[in-house]
Amino acid sequence: MGEHIPNNNEHLIEAYNLQTDQDARNFYNEWANNYDTHLINDLNYNAFEHVANDLAEVLGDDYNARILDIGAGTGLVGESLAKLGYTNIDGWDISEKALIEARSKNVYADLYAININEFKPIKPMYDAAISCGTFTKGHVKHHALTNIAQILNPDAYFVCTINIGIWKEYGFKDTIEQLESDGIIAIDSWIDRSYFNDNTLECRCFLFRKL
């Protein structure tokens, strides 16, 4: 399945063709300074607003819930959550320079440079998690979902996007079905959207709940 790339954008073409975690780190370190401008102004990227609203719908007025932003990047999701009133947000990302941009938004409690493909879960510690654009071609792999589930408290919500083009081929469908079968998560809802402000459905948005 071909990727939808608005305006044949060269950054998106390169992003979808990353091969290794080090490629991803280098790529986003180089793009960090202009990332927000390119995505929002040039490409009308708005998926980050949708996922923030999705999480807010289930968290309600629990504004101090401890939230983990997975693949936080330059902080677009965290900033959207902060505008909705949430105040206790941590962020993880592989790109140190992207996290510098995220820190400048002053909406995160803590930010950590972490390779999400390699992190080892310690114990449940988060009341909610959120991720936008991280589970896509050349980025975070399906096995990370299992590890993420282990750091969520019981009844925690996890909102994330998964690129429909890699949903089956890259193992996400099987991993989610296994987590559900094992009684680790429940799928409360999902909907297909665009990553951008257009009508192309390429982004499967999930609301998971930790059991």
Side-chain angles (χ1 to χ4, degrees):
M1 180 178 178
E3 303 295 346
H4 171 53
I5 301 177
N7 303 328
N8 206 31
N9 183 270
E10 62 181 21
H11 285 98
L12 291 185
I13 292 172
E14 186 173 352
Y16 284 136
N17 285 282
L18 297 171
Q19 299 297 312
T20 69
D21 293 339
Q22 187 59 50
D23 289 343
R25 180 181 289 110
N26 293 341
F27 174 72
Y28 285 104
N29 278 342
E30 291 175 5
W31 194 11
N33 287 344
N34 299 310
Y35 181 86
D36 291 6
T37 299
H38 285 166
L39 281 186
I40 297 173
N41 296 347
D42 298 347
L43 300 176
N44 291 316
Y45 178 67
N46 65 355
F48 63 96
E49 295 175 330
H50 290 306
V51 295
N53 287 329
D54 289 344
L55 186 58
E57 283 187 13
V58 292
L59 287 182
D61 61 1
D62 188 5
Y63 296 119
N64 197 43
R66 192 176 184 198
I67 302 170
L68 176 61
D69 183 2
I70 299 162
T74 59
L76 291 174
V77 170
E79 187 173 46
S80 294
L81 286 172
K83 289 177 180 178
L84 293 168
Y86 299 97
T87 60
N88 192 9
I89 310 165
D90 291 347
W92 294 0
D93 200 87
I94 197 171
S95 166
E96 299 88 347
K97 290 189 178 179
L99 291 176
I100 291 173
E101 298 298 319
R103 187 169 289 109
S104 72
K105 292 180 168 64
N106 296 313
V107 297
Y108 289 94
D110 288 299
L111 289 164
Y112 301 95
I114 290 178
N115 183 339
I116 299 160
N117 281 320
E118 296 181 353
F119 92 94
K120 305 299 181 186
I122 302 171
K123 61 180 181 180
M125 61 182 72
Y126 287 100
D127 304 314
I130 190 167
S131 183
C132 186
T134 305
F135 300 109
T136 191
K137 188 175 181 182
H139 291 62
V140 176
K141 310 300 190 294
H142 66 93
H143 68 264
L145 292 171
T146 302
N147 291 338
I148 290 165
Q150 294 183 55
I151 62 171
L152 297 178
N153 293 324
D155 294 320
Y157 288 102
F158 176 29
V159 174
C160 74
T161 64
I162 300 176
N163 187 305
I164 294 174
I166 64 168
W167 162 243
K168 291 183 180 180
E169 181 183 355
Y170 283 54
F172 288 94
K173 180 177 183 292
D174 289 344
T175 294
I176 290 170
E177 288 178 350
Q178 189 64 54
L179 288 168
E180 190 177 28
S181 176
D182 290 344
I184 296 171
I185 64 168
I187 302 172
D188 278 11
S189 66
W190 62 271
I191 186 172
D192 290 342
R193 297 183 177 123
S194 176
Y195 288 107
F196 308 94
N197 188 21
D198 60 27
N199 296 318
T200 304
L201 301 181
E202 58 187 344
C203 166
R204 187 153 291 171
C205 302
F206 281 93
L207 172 62
F208 300 116
R209 180 168 42 86
K210 174 72 179 292
L211 299 177

